[in-house]
Amino acid sequence: MRILVTVALVLPLLVATVYWVEAEKEARVLCGLATVSTPESEVQRMFGTATLLRVEATVEGTTRELRAASPMNLGLSGCTVTMTDGAVSATVAWEHFRSSGAASLVLLVGLPITAVSSFRAIAAARRRGKDGGPAPARNRLRVLATRVGLTLIAMATLVLLLGAPS
């Protein structure tokens, strides 16, 4: 039963991580291909192949602007492509948070595992007091705070190391 619960918690997170990373890659690749003087028809063709990006177009006079971002990574990376006279005149890419696949995996899998193991530690501490009775609530909270604090410090360190721009 424990294995089934663990798989039920971790599997959706792994799938979400894959989509997150793929959405970031798609945004980087397509935005990188939309260079200055690329014909508008080529940009339309390229962004038409996007599967994870949401592309919104706005038109003001002779200027057409495409804004591409993905809901799969919460819109944290994408670009704005400005086209004038049938060609790209400017491309502005953004990344509010650049993560690698490993950093995303640490965040998306590490947090739930920390929560589950912390609650299990509290349950174990409740069962084993000094005299065979339950441990005082203060000790259970101390166990939880220590475990969560150390895990968050370790995960933050890994995210900073793995998610740093190269």
Side-chain angles (χ1 to χ4, degrees), residues 132-152:
R138 187 177 64 226
N139 289 346
R140 291 192 303 266
L141 289 176
R142 194 174 295 148
V143 167
L144 174 65
T146 303
R147 182 174 285 208
V148 169
L150 290 174
T151 304
L152 290 176

Side-chain angles (χ1 to χ4, degrees), residues 3-87:
I3 293 173
L4 184 61
V5 170
T6 304
V7 168
L9 288 173
V10 172
L11 189 61
L13 296 171
L14 290 174
V15 171
T17 302
V18 169
Y19 275 99
W20 181 291
V21 171
E22 289 302 315
E24 279 191 356
K25 283 197 306 188
E26 187 172 66
R28 268 190 242 131
V29 168
L30 289 177
C31 294
L33 290 173
T35 57
V36 174
S37 75
T38 302
E40 185 175 348
S41 60
E42 182 66 15
V43 173
Q44 292 292 339
R45 186 193 65 75
M46 287 187 306
F47 280 90
T49 65
T51 56
L52 299 175
L53 291 179
R54 180 175 291 147
V55 181
E56 298 172 0
T58 57
V59 178
E60 279 188 30
T62 60
T63 303
R64 181 177 171 93
E65 195 172 271
L66 293 179
R67 180 177 164 85
S70 177
M72 296 295 173
N73 70 353
L74 307 176
L76 293 176
S77 62
C79 66
T80 303
V81 180
T82 306
M83 295 172 282
T84 308
D85 299 327

